[in-house]
Amino acid sequence: MKNLVGIDKNKAAELSKSLNQLLADYELFYQNLRGFHWNIKGKDFFELHTKFEELYDDAFIKIDEIAERILTLEGEPLHTYTDYLKVSKIKEARNITNGVKGVEIIVNNFSTLIHTEREILDLASEANDEGTVSLMSDYITQTEKTLWMLNSYLH
């Protein structure tokens, strides 16, 4: 049996579950970025304050896209922090004021995100779900470049 967009309902349900994992990860990632943006101190304040804002603006857009993709697949996106905290592989980062420490956490978080994005890409390919494949391909391309840049900042 297929859903409205022509994806097998069982495969769509599996994809929705994985996308909810990614949604929860992005929600925690987003909030961590907000905290870094607000609390950063030191000589790199202006540069990192701006970069963290750029990153959380991008994460905010992705959160909406992921939730809408889940709905397109006829799933239900998670929408409470209680659920996000139960599911997310990304953990809360508290009281981070050191810029280098913040960037290190972001690099680790991006590594978690890209791992999940690749898993979803594989599932979507198997389900013949071009919409999710395209979304994950775009995210992976962006994440790889951002990881390279942030890692260069650290070294």
Side-chain angles (χ1 to χ4, degrees), residues 59-85:
F60 183 76
I61 291 167
K62 285 182 169 77
I63 287 165
D64 192 54
E65 291 172 342
I66 295 164
E68 289 177 353
R69 189 66 199 161
I70 293 166
L71 290 164
T72 300
L73 294 171
E74 299 179 4
E76 183 178 338
L78 299 175
H79 60 275
T80 68
Y81 272 95
T82 302
D83 288 335
Y84 299 145
L85 289 168

Side-chain angles (χ1 to χ4, degrees), residues 138-150:
D138 290 347
Y139 287 6
I140 290 166
T141 299
Q142 294 167 7
T143 302
E144 286 175 341
K145 184 174 182 180
T146 304
L147 266 170
W148 159 64
M149 291 179 163
L150 291 172

Side-chain angles (χ1 to χ4, degrees), residues 10-144:
N10 291 328
K11 291 180 179 181
E14 186 179 358
L15 276 164
S16 292
K17 182 178 179 184
S18 294
L19 286 164
N20 263 319
Q21 170 69 58
L22 187 62
L23 178 63
D25 289 341
Y26 261 105
E27 284 283 3
L28 270 289
F29 181 58
Y30 170 82
Q31 198 57 45
N32 285 346
L33 289 166
R34 293 299 302 239
F36 301 155
H37 171 77
W38 292 328
N39 296 310
I40 199 71
K41 295 180 178 14
K43 63 181 175 69
D44 293 332
F45 170 81
F46 290 105
E47 176 184 0
L48 291 177
H49 183 76
T50 301
K51 178 50 83 176
F52 295 158
E53 182 174 8
E54 174 189 315
L55 292 172
Y56 75 66
D57 283 344
D58 181 67
F60 183 76
I61 291 167
K62 285 182 169 77
I63 287 165
D64 192 54
E65 291 172 342
I66 295 164
E68 289 177 353
R69 189 66 199 161
I70 293 166
L71 290 164
T72 300
L73 294 171
E74 299 179 4
E76 183 178 338
L78 299 175
H79 60 275
T80 68
Y81 272 95
T82 302
D83 288 335
Y84 299 145
L85 289 168
K86 285 180 192 172
V87 175
S88 181
K89 295 175 190 169
I90 291 177
K91 301 302 174 204
E92 295 173 308
R94 295 175 184 250
N95 305 318
I96 305 299
T97 59
N98 179 282
V100 171
K101 179 67 175 166
V103 172
E104 288 171 347
I105 292 168
I106 292 168
V107 165
N108 287 332
N109 288 346
F110 267 131
S111 293
T112 298
L113 292 167
I114 202 167
H115 178 76
T116 301
E117 290 164 356
R118 288 186 197 287
E119 288 177 347
I120 293 169
L121 179 67
D122 288 344
L123 284 173
S125 293
E126 291 170 15
N128 228 5
D129 177 3
E130 185 58 35
T132 303
V133 165
S134 177
L135 193 64
M136 291 304 106
S137 291
D138 290 347
Y139 287 6
I140 290 166
T141 299
Q142 294 167 7
T143 302
E144 286 175 341

